[in-house]
C-alpha cells in the first residue's frame, strides 16, 4: 500500500482531515504503520498547486520513514529513552589472571509511544590482575607476549652494535649486557597458531603450525625487572602469544616445550629467532 494516498481516496479523510494543518488539528495519532493517518493541507484537486505542500503522517512508522508532521512527537506523546551517564568501572572480578570489570547506567526516562529504545545499560571489558597471585604462580607468565626478531640479527648484533634494533629502540638492559652473557638461554616452542602474514615474510618462514622453533634470549634482551630473563618466554604446556617486531601483521601462539631452559644446546648455536 502506498504511503501517499490522495485526499479523495478515503471517505474518512475527506470527512474531517483535508485542510487540517497537523496532527493536533486533524486529531490523528495512529499506532504502527497506517497510510490513512495522513495530513495534507491542500486538496488534490486544488486549482493552485503548491509544490511545497507534501503530505505528512501521524502514525508511529513515520519516525522511521522520516515523514512525520512537525507536531507528531508532541501531540502523540512520543518519548525517547533517556539514560544516565556511565557509572565508575567495578574492580576486576579476579585477583590473579584474566578477568572482567563492568560499569552500568540507569534509565532516567522510559520510551513511550514509539520513542527511541534504550541503549545497553551495562558495559564490560577485560582486565588483568596480578596482586593476588601466589609467589610461584605461572599465570603472569602465561599472559606475557613475546616480541621476536629473526635469528639472523643475533650475528649482526655481535658484528656491528649500531644495527641492533633493540639498542635503537632503547630496549637494551641499561647494565652492560656483555657482563650478563652467562645468563643467556634458549627456549623451544611448538607453534599452534600463526597468521598468514608470517608466511609472506621470508624471515619468519620457520613459523608453521605444528612446527618447532628455537628462540634465544640474548644478554641484550635480559630484563632485571623480570629476574634476568626475557619477556614472554612462556610456561611449559601452556599457549602464549608472540609478535614479530618488524612484521606487525605476523603474530600467533606457541607452546613452550621445555621445562628446563637450554643454555648450551644446539638450539642456541643457530636460533630461529631472538627475543626483544
Amino acid at each position: 500500500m502506498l504511503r501517499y494516498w490522495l485526499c479523495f481516496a478515503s471517505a474518512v479523510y475527506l470527512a474531517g482531515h483535508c485542510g487540517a494543518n497537523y496532527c493536533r488539528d486533524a486529531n490523528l495519532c495512529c499506532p504502527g504503520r497506517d497510510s490513512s493517518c495522513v495530513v495534507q493541507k491542500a486538496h488534490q484537486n486544488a486549482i493552485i498547486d503548491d509544490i511545497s505542500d507534501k503530505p505528512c503522517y501521524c502514525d508511529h512508522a513515520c519516525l522511521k520513514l522520516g515523514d512525520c508532521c512537525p507536531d507528531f512527537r508532541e501531540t502523540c506523546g512520543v518519548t525517547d529513552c533517556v539514560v544516565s551517564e556511565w557509572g565508575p568501572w567495578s574492580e576486576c572480578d579476579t585477583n590473579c589472571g584474566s578477568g572482567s570489570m563492568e560499569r552500568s547506567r540507569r534509565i532516567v526516562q522510559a520510551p513511550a509511544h514509539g520513542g527511541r529504545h534504550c541503549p545497553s545499560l551495562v558495559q564490560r571489558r577485560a582486565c588483568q590482575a596480578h596482586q593476588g597471585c601466589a609467589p610461584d604462580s605461572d599465570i603472569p607468565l602465561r599472559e606475557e607476549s613475546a616480541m621476536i626478531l629473526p635469528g639472523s640479527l643475533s650475528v649482526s648484533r655481535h658484528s656491528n652494535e649500531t644495527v641492533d634494533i633493540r639498542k635503537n629502540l632503547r630496549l637494551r638492559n641499561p647494565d652492560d649486557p656483555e657482563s650478563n652473557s652467562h645468563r643467556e638461554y634458549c627456549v623451544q616452542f611448538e607453534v599452534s597458531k600463526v597468521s598468514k602474514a608470517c608466511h609472506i615474510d621470508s624471515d619468519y618462514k620457520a613459523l608453521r603450525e605444528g612446527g618447532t622453533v628455537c628462540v634465544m634470549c640474548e644478554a641484550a634482551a635480559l630484563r632485571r625487572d623480570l629476574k634476568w630473563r626475557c619477556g614472554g618466554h612462556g610456561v611449559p604446556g601452556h599457549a602464549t602469544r608472540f609478535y614479530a617486531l618488524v612484521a606487525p601483521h605476523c603474530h600467533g601462539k606457541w607452546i613452550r616445550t621445555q621445562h628446563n631452559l637450554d643454555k648450551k644446546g644446539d638450539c642456541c648455536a643457530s636460533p630461529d629467532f631472538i627475543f626483544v
Side-chain angles (χ1 to χ4, degrees), residues 1-19 28 34-46 49-50 53-57:
M1 183 181 293
L2 297 175
R3 289 284 292 176
Y4 297 113
W5 280 15
L6 303 178
C7 258
F8 59 84
S10 171
V12 175
Y13 185 92
L14 283 170
H17 300 168
C18 280
L28 285 175
D34 188 347
S35 295
S36 66
C37 200
V38 60
V39 174
Q40 189 170 7
K41 296 180 190 176
H43 193 283
Q44 177 69 17
N45 296 329
D49 185 17
D50 184 358
D53 177 26
K54 295 181 179 180
C56 61
Y57 292 81

Side-chain angles (χ1 to χ4, degrees), residues 8-274:
F8 59 84
S10 171
V12 175
Y13 185 92
L14 283 170
H17 300 168
C18 280
N21 289 328
Y22 297 119
C23 303
R24 183 180 58 186
D25 296 332
N27 194 27
L28 285 175
C29 280
C30 308
R33 180 169 181 171
D34 188 347
S35 295
S36 66
C37 200
V38 60
V39 174
Q40 189 170 7
K41 296 180 190 176
H43 193 283
Q44 177 69 17
N45 296 329
I47 298 176
I48 300 176
D49 185 17
D50 184 358
I51 59 175
S52 66
D53 177 26
K54 295 181 179 180
C56 61
Y57 292 81
C58 301
D59 62 346
H60 290 157
C62 75
L63 293 168
K64 293 183 178 179
L65 298 175
D67 52 6
C68 297
C69 292
D71 69 335
F72 171 70
R73 284 178 169 271
E74 178 183 357
T75 300
C76 299
V78 176
T79 304
D80 292 334
C81 177
V82 178
V83 295
S84 66
E85 295 294 326
W86 287 107
W89 286 102
S90 67
E91 296 293 330
C92 195
D93 61 4
T94 183
N95 291 324
C96 179
S98 300
S100 64
M101 55 201 310
E102 67 177 40
R103 64 178 181 176
S104 62
R105 56 187 175 185
R106 60 185 177 82
I107 297 175
V108 176
Q109 178 176 276
H113 303 106
R116 192 177 300 113
H117 295 295
C118 294
S120 172
L121 299 178
V122 178
Q123 277 188 345
R124 292 181 175 85
R125 69 180 183 187
C127 57
Q128 301 287 339
H130 297 147
Q131 66 272 16
C133 294
D136 58 348
S137 172
D138 62 8
I139 290 179
L141 278 171
R142 296 188 212 177
E143 295 171 351
E144 286 182 6
S145 296
M147 298 295 292
I148 59 174
L149 286 169
S152 59
L153 293 182
S154 174
V155 177
S156 66
R157 183 182 69 82
H158 290 293
S159 61
N160 187 352
E161 293 266 333
T162 62
V163 299
D164 186 354
I165 191 171
R166 291 163 298 184
K167 182 177 181 180
N168 296 335
L169 292 173
R170 298 183 180 179
L171 293 175
R172 290 175 59 105
N173 173 22
D175 296 0
D176 181 9
E178 296 303 323
S179 64
N180 294 314
S181 59
H182 66 285
R183 302 178 189 270
E184 292 182 341
Y185 62 91
C186 294
V187 189
Q188 286 187 338
F189 296 96
E190 180 179 336
V191 180
S192 58
K193 186 176 181 180
V194 62
S195 64
K196 293 181 179 179
C198 298
H199 302 160
I200 299 174
D201 195 320
S202 60
D203 288 331
Y204 297 96
K205 62 183 180 181
L207 294 168
R208 292 289 185 270
E209 292 184 9
T212 301
V213 295
C214 173
V215 187
M216 184 174 183
C217 176
E218 296 183 304
L222 288 167
R223 291 174 52 181
R224 177 193 290 272
D225 62 312
L226 296 179
K227 297 182 180 180
W228 300 108
R229 65 173 177 84
C230 286
H233 74 190
V235 177
H238 294 281
T240 53
R241 296 181 181 274
F242 67 84
Y243 295 88
L245 185 61
V246 294
H249 297 292
C250 175
H251 55 83
K253 292 183 179 181
W254 54 22
I255 300 173
R256 187 171 130 195
T257 61
Q258 293 177 311
H259 288 272
N260 296 319
L261 301 177
D262 181 10
K263 295 189 177 183
K264 295 182 178 179
D266 295 337
C267 177
C268 284
S270 182
D272 297 298
F273 304 101
I274 54 177

